[in-house]
């Protein structure tokens, strides 16, 4: 069965340090890939998406993600965490429909 | 500014009640979706619709039904609410783009508690 794996359900980072959220998927072909962010009491907002163009994708708020087919990964990074980055992040993969990872809850420590 | 709205942010119902959750989008999108979000489980697809009066079961349709009488409105119905349906419900919409494969725009969610 196709699946999306996000390890580390809770991630703590210090303000100003890099953020790395890992996402791996199981698939025999290259799907479309997305990262969404959900701030407290808000709906999900698209951060970035990969649709078979450049493998390094830049998104909003300084985030970027790199698609690595050989590793079936789509990890999300940001060079320097800001307090406003505290939120839950979902890796989402499109096969015949969207499949969501279980999310990373990011806490930013001042 | 594009918008997906949901009728209630918070809802409390009793076991056995019939519950309606309403979702409206103003982007003229063909596709609409209902998910439930539970801690540690991410989002799970309940039902989706790719056109007026069309509906498809998602991954967890049991205990739910939907209605799409107008393009902009997609309703989720709990025929007889149960405590295990206490959850956050998220509505989303997307343009057709071939399949249901475009970016989805999400509403703010309805937190339903069934007592």
């Amino acid at each position: 069965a196709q699946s999306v794996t996000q390890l580390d359900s809770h991630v703590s980072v210090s303000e100003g340090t890099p953020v790395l959220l890992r996402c791996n998927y199981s698939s025999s072909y290259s799907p479309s890939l997305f990262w969404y962010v959900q701030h407290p009491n808000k709906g999900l907002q698209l951060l970035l998406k990969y649709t078979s163009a450049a493998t390094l994708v830049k998104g909003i708020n300084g985030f970027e993600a790199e698609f690595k087919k050989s590793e079936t990964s789509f990890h999300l990074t940001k060079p320097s965490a800001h307090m406003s980055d505290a939120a839950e992040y979902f890796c989402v993969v499109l096969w015949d429909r969207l499949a969501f990872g279980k999310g990373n809850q990011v806490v930013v420590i001042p | 500014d594009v918008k997906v709205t949901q009728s209630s942010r918070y809802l409390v119902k009793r076991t056995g009640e019939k519950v309606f959750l309403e979702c409206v989008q103003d982007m003229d999108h063909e596709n609409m979706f209902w998910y439930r979000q539970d801690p540690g489980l991410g989002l799970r697809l309940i039902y989706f619709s790719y056109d007026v009066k069309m509906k498809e079961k998602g991954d967890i349709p049991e205990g739910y039904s939907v209605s799409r009488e107008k393009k902009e409105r997609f309703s989720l119905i709990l025929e007889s609410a149960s405590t295990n349906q206490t959850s956050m419900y998220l509505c989303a919409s997307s343009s057709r783009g071939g399949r249901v494969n475009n970016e989805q725009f999400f509403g703010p969610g309805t937190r339903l508690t069934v007592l």
Side-chain angles (χ1 to χ4, degrees), chain B residues 46-92:
Chain B
I46 305 172
Y47 266 96
F48 65 99
S49 167
Y50 50 86
D51 205 347
V52 176
K53 296 191 185 296
M54 305 298 286
K55 60 184 179 183
E56 293 281 344
K57 292 181 180 179
D59 300 317
I60 52 164
E62 297 77 20
Y64 303 94
S65 63
V66 290
S67 173
R68 184 117 182 252
E69 295 297 319
K70 293 184 178 181
K71 189 176 186 179
E72 67 272 18
R73 188 180 298 270
F74 192 36
S75 302
L76 180 68
I77 304 156
L78 286 66
E79 295 290 342
S80 177
S82 63
T83 54
N84 63 12
Q85 292 178 310
T86 292
S87 186
M88 171 71 87
Y89 290 87
L90 291 169
C91 176

Side-chain angles (χ1 to χ4, degrees), chain A residues 17-95:
Chain A
T17 65
V19 180
L20 169 62
L21 303 180
R22 292 185 173 88
C23 175
N24 289 87
Y25 64 93
S26 63
S27 178
S28 57
Y29 61 94
S30 298
S32 295
L33 299 154
F34 307 80
W35 275 98
Y36 279 84
V37 60
Q38 185 180 32
H39 287 93
N41 300 313
K42 297 286 180 67
L44 275 72
Q45 179 185 17
L46 181 70
L47 270 182
L48 48 80
K49 63 181 178 181
Y50 167 76
T51 54
S52 74
T55 57
L56 183 63
V57 182
K58 293 188 183 299
I60 62 172
N61 302 335
F63 284 92
E64 61 182 37
E66 185 173 10
F67 170 67
K68 292 186 177 180
K69 184 177 180 179
S70 61
E71 299 177 8
T72 60
S73 70
F74 190 55
H75 302 331
L76 181 70
T77 60
K78 182 173 181 177
S80 176
H82 190 272
M83 295 301 295
S84 61
D85 295 328
E88 191 159 20
Y89 294 79
F90 293 95
C91 180
V92 183
V93 182
L94 173 68
W95 286 291

Side-chain angles (χ1 to χ4, degrees), chain B residues 86-103:
Chain B
T86 292
S87 186
M88 171 71 87
Y89 290 87
L90 291 169
C91 176
S93 72
S94 71
S95 61
R96 179 159 290 148
R99 296 184 302 164
V100 291
N101 60 354
N102 286 339
E103 173 191 350

